[in-house]
Amino acid sequence: MSREERAEDARAAMFDAAAKVIDQHGYAGASISRVTEAAGIAQGTFYLYFQSRQELFDELLPYIGVKMLDFIRERVRGSKDVYEMEERGFRAFFEYMNANKGFIRILNEAETNAPKAHRTHFKILTDRYVKALERWRREGMIKNFDREELVTIAYIMMSARSYLYMRYIKMDAKRKQIPEKVVQTYMRLVKSGLN
């Protein structure tokens, strides 16, 4: 492996470790020693890649957010229309959250503990969502909405996912999947709203 590849692997290991530590202890309890111990590296090695704990926090949410988006993109690839894309993406979001339970805590606590990361994450999310919606608008599937309105629609859809996750998965520890009736209700709303 090249030096750059080793550096990327070490950074990825620290991001993954930080996500686990924050899930367990929150940002306040995510010390450098806990992160490096979880990553299996020496504490001094941390400073080869990050100047401070805050710098790690400022990069963590965008890093894991892009991993989530890549996961969803794979699940929506080849969708025949905006509705299939949205339903696949909706289901993929819950699938990803089930496999990465700490994501929501990192997201929610980032607003106060890593506001730079929080802003960056939502910019990346919104830009990708709006780009997809604009594609379907160009193809005639979405009508009567300008770009600014598509940004609003993207935020509505993203917030629906987050709150439905909180209601149906996080608040009900026994449940592992989003109920099918919730998916169908969400899709009815999307279809009637975008038509």
Side-chain angles (χ1 to χ4, degrees):
M1 284 175 65
S2 72
R3 185 178 200 180
E4 291 79 21
E5 290 170 328
R6 284 195 308 274
E8 282 305 307
D9 282 353
R11 284 175 59 83
M14 283 187 270
F15 284 134
D16 293 341
K20 289 175 185 160
V21 170
I22 292 170
D23 181 34
Q24 286 184 310
H25 305 283
Y27 279 87
S31 64
I32 291 171
S33 62
R34 277 185 170 148
V35 170
T36 55
E37 182 181 333
I41 61 169
Q43 194 166 338
T45 305
F46 176 90
Y47 294 101
L48 296 174
Y49 304 102
F50 302 101
Q51 292 181 12
S52 66
R53 182 175 82 126
Q54 190 61 50
E55 185 179 349
L56 170 69
F57 291 169
D58 288 342
E59 295 181 33
L60 175 62
L61 181 57
Y63 172 84
I64 64 173
V66 167
K67 285 176 72 171
M68 177 192 69
L69 289 173
D70 290 345
F71 179 88
I72 292 171
R73 183 177 54 224
E74 286 303 311
R75 297 301 192 274
V76 302
R77 189 181 307 277
S79 297
K80 70 180 187 299
D81 59 29
V82 67
Y83 307 116
E84 183 178 348
M85 179 200 77
E86 186 56 30
E87 183 171 340
R88 284 181 174 188
F90 187 77
R91 291 178 188 278
F93 172 82
F94 291 99
E95 184 182 347
Y96 187 85
M97 290 299 113
N98 278 331
N100 299 275
K101 299 245 183 241
F103 186 93
I104 289 292
R105 183 171 189 179
I106 294 166
L107 173 65
N108 290 339
E109 289 189 20
E111 187 174 6
T112 54
N113 293 284
K116 178 181 171 185
H118 199 258
R119 284 189 304 274
T120 301
H121 170 72
F122 275 101
K123 179 172 182 357
I124 293 167
L125 232 60
T126 306
D127 288 351
R128 286 205 190 173
Y129 217 139
V130 170
K131 184 178 176 183
L133 292 172
E134 284 180 324
R135 178 182 139 220
W136 294 112
R137 185 178 65 179
R138 283 191 307 275
E139 293 187 16
M141 293 287 309
I142 299 174
K143 297 177 178 141
N144 303 317
F145 290 105
D146 63 27
R147 187 182 195 295
E148 188 176 327
E149 291 170 321
L150 292 179
V151 171
T152 302
I153 290 167
Y155 269 95
I156 290 168
M157 291 174 161
M158 290 185 304
S159 61
R161 291 175 188 200
S162 182
Y163 280 96
L164 290 170
Y165 173 81
M166 297 297 284
R167 165 58 182 90
Y168 289 101
I169 307 294
K170 187 127 175 110
M171 292 171 69
D172 185 350
K174 295 176 190 165
R175 191 184 305 270
K176 300 294 180 213
Q177 294 181 358
I178 189 79
E180 188 61 27
K181 180 118 177 142
V182 173
V183 175
Q184 296 311 315
T185 302
Y186 175 78
M187 289 309 301
R188 278 180 48 213
L189 181 66
V190 168
K191 288 174 182 176
S192 62
L194 291 179
N195 278 332

